[in-house]
Amino acid sequence: GGKPMEILDILDEQGNITGKTEERAIVHEKGLWHTHVGIWLMNQKGELLFQKRAETKKVNPNKWTRTGGHVDSGETPLHAIQRETEEEIGVKIPLDEIELIDIKKEEINIPNTEIINRHFVYNYFAKVDYKLKDYTIDPEEVSDIKYITIEEIKKAIENKDEKYTFTRNKNINEIIKFLENKRKDI
């Protein structure tokens, strides 16, 4: 698209900002460490929002995933996830309603691409009161949205369902426990 170049802060292997910055494509090409954010959004029924990645995306096209993206240079992970949620699905979640689940260091070689994705992933959670029709999706990023239950997520993991990106997430069982606890509070 006509998006401006995304400039990211380069991290060291411990996740500290080095003071260097680089364009996103080069970060992926060279396998430089950077920060990624994602959010698990839960509605009043305890279901989780998933978005289908646009067909044109280089990484995981047409796959269902949580909302997320990269942290721009100079931006905090918390502000980045608020911005990404607004850009991709058109809702602005108040910062004080966004809770950090965990931070995980991940290294992913993406099959059939030149991409080496080395990043620290900040996983966030928020409760929302939106129906599907309340979201406005950015067609360059997202082709569809849906709510699914934790049980459906578990089934997808069990079946290693390739339609979802999270089935490759080594950390997913910890996240599911967290989500089940949150659902109890609803």
Side-chain angles (χ1 to χ4, degrees):
K3 290 229 164 102
M5 277 203 327
E6 281 180 75
I7 305 294
L8 311 181
D9 286 323
I10 305 306
L11 310 178
D12 64 19
E13 289 213 27
Q14 283 69 50
N16 305 303
I17 288 179
T18 60
K20 297 194 179 76
T21 60
E22 196 48 271
E23 208 244 309
R24 179 168 117 172
I26 292 164
V27 168
H28 284 159
E29 213 171 281
K30 292 187 177 168
L32 303 171
W33 289 100
H34 59 289
T35 312
H36 192 89
V37 289
I39 193 162
W40 297 83
L41 296 173
M42 183 179 280
N43 70 9
Q44 308 304 62
K45 295 186 198 147
E47 299 164 331
L48 294 143
L49 186 79
F50 276 80
Q51 60 188 52
K52 192 175 192 182
R53 292 173 61 84
E55 199 172 357
T56 50
K57 299 296 280 179
K58 262 204 204 81
V59 177
N60 293 320
N62 291 321
K63 292 201 177 181
W64 291 95
T65 187
R66 67 198 187 332
T67 302
H70 288 89
V71 178
D72 289 339
S73 176
E75 189 178 39
T76 65
L78 185 62
H79 281 93
I81 195 58
Q82 185 190 50
R83 173 184 55 75
E84 287 285 350
T85 306
E86 198 172 4
E87 284 174 5
E88 295 189 354
I89 55 174
V91 296
K92 187 166 191 175
I93 298 176
L95 292 173
D96 60 3
E97 288 176 24
I98 300 173
E99 189 182 332
L100 183 64
I101 302 176
D102 60 19
I103 303 168
K104 281 284 185 285
K105 184 178 179 178
E106 284 182 5
E107 199 162 341
I108 306 162
N109 290 314
I110 295 164
N112 315 319
T113 67
E114 296 296 293
I115 294 176
I116 310 156
N117 212 351
R118 291 197 179 106
H119 51 209
F120 286 80
V121 180
Y122 285 64
N123 274 299
Y124 289 102
F125 172 83
K127 287 194 181 132
V128 292
D129 197 6
Y130 296 112
K131 310 237 180 323
L132 289 176
K133 64 171 172 46
D134 300 328
Y135 296 100
T136 309
I137 60 180
D138 171 2
E140 278 196 21
E141 299 281 340
V142 182
S143 61
D144 200 4
I145 51 171
K146 65 178 177 180
Y147 279 114
I148 64 175
T149 64
I150 295 174
E151 288 65 35
E152 287 172 282
I153 292 174
K154 285 178 164 170
K155 191 169 278 169
I157 294 162
E158 222 172 284
N159 300 334
K160 297 188 168 50
D161 188 336
E162 283 294 311
K163 291 196 299 290
Y164 294 96
T165 61
F166 58 74
T167 52
R168 293 194 296 273
N169 182 340
K170 291 185 274 301
N171 181 33
I172 192 68
N173 292 323
E174 294 163 44
I175 287 174
I176 284 178
K177 282 198 192 83
F178 177 95
L179 295 172
E180 286 176 326
N181 283 328
K182 287 295 178 184
R183 187 168 66 174
K184 283 189 198 118
D185 304 338
I186 283 179

